[in-house]
Amino acid sequence: MARTVWDSTVGKKTVMAVSGLVMLLYLVAHMIGNLKIFFGTEEFNHYAHWLRTVGEPFMHYEWTLWLIRVVLVVAVVAHAVSAYQLSRRDIKARPSKYVHRKKRASYATRTMRWGGIILALFIVWHILDLTTGTVHHGGFETGKPYQNVVDTFSTWYGNAIYIVAVLAVGLHIRHGFWSAAQTLGAGSRTRDRVLKTTANVLALLLTIGFVAVPVGVMTGVVS
């Protein structure tokens, strides 16, 4: 049954919708956590340490954090694979390009695929920068996330990469949230306006919330 569902277009869209919502929940929580940087070094570093001790003593040190990471990896892979396969299926169904583009297709809709690629590349860079410290500027300091964040956003390329990725996230959510709601059967004539408004508000709040951190470093509010 699972294979039958996965092989169907509806099944792939459902997997894409559910995995997308999982990642959206993570983004909301991640943004709220990021904003703690405006409360100072001690507050932010304490929050980062707390993430590693959630669930203790029942859960061992970092077990909860690793569980979250595994869920996110599964969600990202499921989302990417289903998106790719749906894209290939769409191309095979329509081998010739449209002569005219749909007038009502939004910018976010037309750039969903490129946005997904940008986000995939950003995730890799973000992990190498602030998790492993492999490409980190200024010397990565384990246990000092506040200083690591300040180091990253003290460079022009760190800000550029992050802000471009965040804008891609905003566009992705703006279209993706509404699309997921339709796939999961939440859409209707009476609810479509509310869903679209919710998608726009979520995209705007997340974009502003994430961009606030590099802007805070650039302006000296966070230093």
Side-chain angles (χ1 to χ4, degrees):
M1 182 179 292
R3 183 57 186 269
T4 301
V5 172
W6 171 249
D7 286 341
S8 69
T9 298
V10 174
K12 292 183 188 300
K13 287 184 177 181
T14 301
V15 169
M16 197 171 176
V18 173
S19 60
L21 291 176
V22 169
M23 290 186 287
L24 178 59
L25 289 174
Y26 168 77
L27 285 173
V28 172
H30 190 42
M31 181 201 69
I32 294 172
N34 282 359
L35 293 177
K36 288 182 177 289
I37 200 167
F38 290 100
F39 294 93
T41 307
E42 185 177 347
E43 180 77 15
F44 192 70
N45 287 346
H46 176 70
Y47 162 68
H49 176 72
W50 172 81
L51 287 176
R52 288 158 173 77
T53 59
V54 173
E56 286 189 344
F58 179 75
M59 298 291 281
H60 193 61
Y61 183 75
E62 286 195 343
W63 277 15
T64 301
L65 183 59
W66 274 106
L67 180 62
I68 293 172
R69 287 169 175 168
V70 169
V71 171
L72 282 173
V73 168
V74 171
V76 169
V77 172
H79 198 76
V81 171
S82 56
Y84 174 76
Q85 292 184 354
L86 284 170
S87 176
R88 298 302 302 172
R89 186 169 293 185
D90 185 52
I91 292 172
K92 288 181 180 179
R94 292 193 296 269
S96 59
K97 294 183 178 179
Y98 288 116
V99 177
H100 301 289
R101 289 185 177 182
K102 293 180 181 180
K103 293 182 179 180
R104 293 187 178 181
S106 67
Y107 182 76
T109 303
R110 296 195 302 268
T111 57
M112 282 293 284
R113 290 172 187 171
W114 281 109
I117 293 172
I118 290 172
L119 292 178
L121 294 174
F122 170 73
I123 289 172
V124 174
W125 179 84
H126 197 51
I127 291 172
L128 293 176
D129 179 36
L130 292 175
T131 301
T132 66
T134 307
V135 299
H136 185 74
H137 168 79
F140 185 79
E141 298 182 71
T142 304
K144 295 184 179 180
Y146 182 95
Q147 187 58 50
N148 293 333
V149 170
V150 172
D151 287 343
T152 290
F153 297 130
S154 295
T155 63
W156 68 267
Y157 59 85
N159 290 314
I161 292 172
Y162 192 84
I163 291 174
V164 168
V166 167
L167 292 176
V169 167
L171 289 173
H172 215 74
I173 290 171
R174 182 169 177 260
H175 174 72
F177 179 83
W178 183 81
S179 180
Q182 301 301 309
T183 298
L184 298 176
S188 68
R189 289 184 178 181
T190 56
R191 291 195 292 263
D192 276 357
R193 182 175 295 180
V194 174
L195 289 171
K196 287 182 178 180
T197 301
T198 302
N200 289 335
V201 171
L202 273 173
L204 182 61
L205 289 177
L206 283 170
T207 300
I208 293 174
F210 279 115
V211 169
V213 178
V215 170
V217 175
M218 286 188 286
T219 57
V221 175
V222 177
S223 62

